[in-house]
Amino acid sequence: TASPEVAEKHGFKKDVKGVIITKVSTGSDAEKNSLTKGLLITEVQGEAVASADEFNKAIASVKAGGIRLLVKDKAGGQRFVFVEFTKSK
């Protein structure tokens, strides 16, 4: 969750809504699609996410395959990223 302190640490405004990426696994599809530590995820499958709980619920609702994320960087740029994933057992 992007608390005001965490948001500012990563270069975002205090009141930003979303989830900040804190880790990307080496060799993952996320890494291959240029998701990096410090980016802000604001949407999953077109639905706004403002907390880690909302993000996890949105991810859990996807059965398998790709997920569309809307990510923002601290400079204000945003883009859609499609990431393939497999569910953990």
Side-chain angles (χ1 to χ4, degrees):
T1 304
S3 69
E5 297 79 20
V6 172
E8 283 189 315
K9 176 182 174 186
H10 289 281
F12 295 99
K13 293 180 181 179
K14 287 184 195 182
D15 61 349
V16 72
K17 302 288 185 215
V19 178
I20 293 177
I21 298 172
T22 58
K23 181 180 177 185
V24 177
S25 298
T26 302
S28 67
D29 199 49
E31 181 187 53
K32 292 173 187 171
N33 282 289
S34 301
L35 290 179
T36 58
K37 182 178 176 180
L39 289 175
L40 179 75
I41 299 171
T42 59
E43 290 183 8
V44 175
Q45 299 293 84
E47 297 294 323
V49 293
S51 69
D53 284 341
E54 288 179 7
F55 175 81
N56 290 330
K57 286 177 187 174
I59 296 296
S61 72
V62 178
K63 302 299 180 202
I67 297 176
R68 185 183 74 196
L69 305 173
L70 179 60
V71 297
K72 294 183 179 184
D73 61 34
K74 61 185 172 188
Q78 64 181 11
R79 63 189 165 99
F80 285 105
V81 177
F82 294 88
V83 179
E84 292 288 326
F85 81 104
T86 55
K87 294 227 177 198
S88 301
K89 295 183 179 171

